[in-house]
Amino acid sequence: MVRDVRIALQLQPQHADYRRIRDTVAEAEQLGVDIIFNWDHFYPLSGDPDGLHYECWTMLAAWAEQTSRVEFGALVTCNSYRNPDLLADMARTVDNISDGRLILGIGSGWFEKDYQEYGYEFGTPGSRLDALAEALPRIERRLSVINPPPVRKIPFLIGGGGEKKTLRLVAKYADIWHSFADAEVLPRKSAILAEHCAAVGRDPAEIEISVSVAGRGQSAKPDELGPQFVDLGATLFTVGVSGPDHDLSQLRDWITWRDGFKR
């Protein structure tokens, strides 16, 4: 399966007021980005730990109304924070508001401060992954019976690279896998994902591979890093930006590269 290269912006909902975030969403859509993500936390992950920060899903509902072309979602929703059936209902509603442009990104959760401050049980990495494994079929079932249904089959994005549990869930449920892996690690993770796909009877080519390419320590230029990742099977490239100023220069570079890229 040959996929088009796509560029995403992760607009981190921290250290900027909402007017600034809204303006950046509009600018990114105008620039031609394919997807806009936020994240699902309650406090900043960098900078002032008590700085400005907004909630994920109420923001996604606003983006559903504000935008007209881009896909959007969370990179990623924390499974721990919401009843799975409620999350499915929220996703269906936002998908309907946007006329079918939501991506349901989900993961098991990791940021302990969120849990402590908001009263969720933190557990262990294993228990959180087990909870995600229990939630995913519930989400699928609720989406299949809810009225009205989603506009489209909502794509599931699962984030993470745990080789025993997370990649097994990716093989079974995901349409997109956000690997969090660099170019050195991705081949091994992809091979393990292929093994899990074989075990559940699925073609790994059905799963789009997503990577972060800016804003998380990656500094190579798109024409250097992009083809390298494409050769490894990745086609979705995410640039992260944070407040208070949203510098979209790297995003512009990646969009320019996308538009001129030929396999």
Side-chain angles (χ1 to χ4, degrees):
M1 180 183 299
V2 178
R3 297 182 184 274
D4 291 336
V5 168
R6 302 199 291 169
I7 305 299
L9 171 68
Q10 186 188 45
L11 182 52
Q12 301 161 8
Q14 60 179 11
H15 305 311
D17 63 30
Y18 190 72
R19 178 175 295 180
R20 178 62 180 148
I21 291 171
R22 183 180 60 219
D23 289 348
T24 302
V25 168
E27 183 179 359
E29 184 170 42
Q30 185 176 20
L31 286 172
V33 75
D34 297 292
I35 302 169
I36 304 176
F37 294 117
N38 61 7
W39 66 33
D40 188 18
H41 295 286
F42 306 130
Y43 295 92
L45 299 187
S46 62
D48 180 359
D50 295 311
L52 297 175
H53 199 279
Y54 292 99
E55 194 276 328
C56 170
W57 275 89
T58 45
M59 180 179 289
L60 293 178
W63 290 1
E65 284 284 9
Q66 176 188 346
T67 59
S68 60
R69 178 189 57 78
V70 294
E71 292 184 282
F72 62 96
L75 187 61
V76 290
T77 302
C78 177
N79 175 65
S80 305
Y81 302 157
R82 299 165 192 87
N83 171 284
D85 291 88
L86 171 62
L87 178 61
D89 199 343
M90 293 165 58
R92 176 282 308 253
T93 300
V94 173
D95 184 69
N96 272 254
I97 294 169
S98 69
D99 294 323
R101 293 181 287 115
L102 178 75
I103 294 170
L104 179 53
I106 193 166
S108 59
W110 63 273
F111 190 42
E112 188 171 4
K113 182 177 179 179
D114 285 346
Y115 289 78
Q116 291 176 338
E117 294 289 339
Y118 277 64
Y120 295 103
E121 181 180 350
F122 188 53
T124 66
S127 69
R128 294 193 297 276
L129 278 166
D130 290 343
L132 178 61
E134 294 173 2
L136 286 166
R138 286 180 60 182
I139 294 169
E140 281 194 334
R141 179 187 176 279
R142 182 59 56 187
L143 288 171
S144 72
V145 300
I146 205 163
N147 185 24
V151 174
R152 64 171 178 175
K153 181 187 180 298
I154 298 175
F156 280 31
L157 179 155
I158 296 178
E163 296 176 2
K164 293 182 179 180
K165 292 185 176 182
T166 302
L167 292 182
R168 185 169 68 229
L169 295 176
V170 171
K172 191 170 183 180
Y173 295 103
D175 302 283
I176 305 169
W177 167 45
H178 189 78
S179 66
F180 295 103
D182 59 25
E184 288 69 38
V185 174
L186 184 59
R188 186 183 85 246
K189 299 289 186 180
S190 295
I192 294 169
L193 175 59
E195 293 174 2
H196 285 299
C197 285
V200 300
R202 190 174 182 199
D203 182 353
E206 296 175 5
I207 303 170
E208 184 174 16
I209 298 176
S210 168
V211 293
S212 296
V213 291
R216 289 182 179 271
Q218 298 278 11
S219 58
K221 295 180 179 179
D223 58 358
E224 298 171 357
L225 191 60
Q228 183 180 8
F229 268 125
V230 170
D231 287 345
L232 297 175
T235 54
L236 177 53
F237 299 85
T238 299
V239 177
V241 299
S242 179
D245 299 316
H246 297 142
D247 181 358
L248 298 186
S249 58
Q250 287 183 313
L251 181 68
R252 291 187 183 92
D253 290 345
W254 279 95
I255 290 171
T256 298
W257 170 76
R258 177 203 65 191
D259 293 345
F261 177 70
K262 293 182 175 59
R263 294 179 185 273

